[in-house]
Amino acid sequence: MKLRCAVLDDFQSVATEVADWGPVAGEVEVVCFSRHFESEDALAEALAGFEIVVTLRERVPFPGSLIARLPALRLLVASGMRNAAIDFEAAARHGVTVCGTASASTPPVELTWALLLGLARGIVPESAALRGGGPWQSTLGADLHGRRLGLLGLGKIGERVARVGLAFGMEVVAWSQNLTEERADAVGVGLAASKEELLRTSDFVSVHLALGERTRGLIGAPELALMRPTGYLVNTSRSAIVDQDALLAALREGTIAGAGLDVFDIEPLPADHPVRTAPRLLATPHLGYVSRENYATYYGQAVEDIRAFLDGRPVRVLG
């Protein structure tokens, strides 16, 4: 009898298209779920009887309480090699192997610039007006050349974002709690004296930090108040780094020029969530890592992880 494998949140219905599942087809039955399960109860019911689960990034939490309700589960595969949504100790206690995959840093870099450019040049309202018979030219674009780009975080993604900014002729500065002048110099950017100085002096601010105790709520109402009224904030990292209520208030009051978001406190967003109607906001439904090549890596390596597990030699084990 074949083992059963659940693929969660396959919204585009591409999990079995972008990768070859042939290596495990004789031993594994793959069932893809294109809808998101909102509660632990719904997940526990849907996943009952599945020995293998494939989940994307940190979209679906796997706390110990859920893992305990899945006695058949033997293998959990998560895209990426770091996942704060899985209780690894609980997985180990219940005999569940957790494996990861590679994940490219270029897709979120590209989406960051899509949001930043879209905000700066009013792409969405201008396109909507053109296609809907609205006014011809109604916005005044913000220049990038010669303006200051402030980066909160200068890791792999932040560095790539910085290099694009430099190519646009921007002045790029960065700050994080552990960022050194040597690291900033190596990338060719300035080291901001403080978070506050970066926010006060930047025309565009982009967040590229990992979520942790030191970064949760790093940007709240006091920090947003430091930004220029012509300034833009982009967050493609983690929602909890920026106080979402404070940001929505700043957008409604017009104390900043706009924001670009790809991450939210609740995902998928409920139909009545205030983000959906916020002014001065360009938002995308967590598309940072969603690209054909990245998905081919995720699901292709998920197949490799499953094959290795079936052969008794798990690879890319997490936790």
Side-chain angles (χ1 to χ4, degrees), residues 14-285:
V14 296
T16 57
E17 172 197 329
V18 298
D20 178 14
W21 290 74
V24 299
E27 300 167 68
V28 176
E29 174 194 359
V30 180
V31 179
C32 297
F33 293 95
S34 59
R35 69 181 182 90
H36 183 74
F37 295 101
E38 299 288 348
S39 68
E40 182 176 306
D41 287 344
L43 264 173
E45 181 179 353
L47 298 179
F50 282 92
E51 291 87 1
I52 303 168
V53 173
V54 177
T55 183
L56 278 175
R57 306 297 291 161
E58 296 170 342
R59 185 181 289 167
V60 178
F62 274 84
S65 55
L66 174 60
I67 294 172
R69 298 172 69 178
L70 302 174
L73 184 62
R74 295 169 53 194
L75 174 65
L76 177 60
V77 179
S79 55
M81 292 300 292
R82 181 173 60 187
N83 195 303
I86 298 172
D87 186 333
F88 293 104
E89 292 184 0
R93 285 198 307 272
H94 290 277
V96 178
T97 301
V98 184
C99 296
T101 74
S103 182
S105 59
T106 48
V109 172
E110 293 166 359
L111 186 74
T112 294
W113 279 101
L115 290 172
L116 197 151
L117 287 166
L119 286 167
R121 301 306 296 268
I123 298 297
V124 172
E126 292 287 5
S127 176
L130 185 147
R131 295 171 63 87
W136 184 265
Q137 297 183 0
S138 60
T139 63
L140 193 61
D143 295 279
L144 300 188
H145 184 84
R147 299 303 189 268
R148 174 174 277 206
L149 171 63
L151 301 178
L152 293 169
L154 198 62
K156 288 191 298 183
I157 294 175
E159 176 180 348
R160 289 175 180 265
V161 171
R163 296 192 185 282
V164 176
L166 293 171
F168 272 118
M170 303 183 79
E171 177 193 2
V172 183
V173 297
W175 177 89
S176 71
Q177 291 164 322
N178 295 324
L179 184 60
T180 64
E181 191 167 352
E182 290 74 19
R183 167 63 178 162
D185 287 344
V187 179
V189 306
L191 176 63
S194 65
K195 172 184 65 176
E196 291 75 15
E197 192 263 348
L198 181 145
L199 293 168
R200 277 196 304 267
T201 62
S202 296
D203 300 290
F204 299 87
V205 175
S206 192
V207 180
H208 302 288
L209 294 164
L211 179 61
E213 290 306 311
R214 294 194 301 173
T215 59
R216 187 179 298 274
L218 187 72
I219 305 297
E223 289 76 20
L224 291 167
L226 296 174
M227 290 184 62
R228 297 172 173 179
T230 55
Y232 295 89
L233 175 71
V234 175
N235 186 9
T236 58
S237 183
R238 291 292 183 269
S239 174
I241 296 172
V242 179
D243 185 318
Q244 191 164 269
D245 290 339
L247 177 59
L248 290 175
L251 292 171
R252 287 192 296 266
E253 295 163 10
T255 56
I256 64 174
L261 294 181
D262 188 49
V263 288
F264 310 95
D265 57 354
I266 303 172
E267 296 185 9
L269 279 175
D272 60 349
H273 197 286
V275 161
R276 291 185 181 269
T277 55
R280 303 179 180 87
L281 177 66
L282 177 58
T284 48

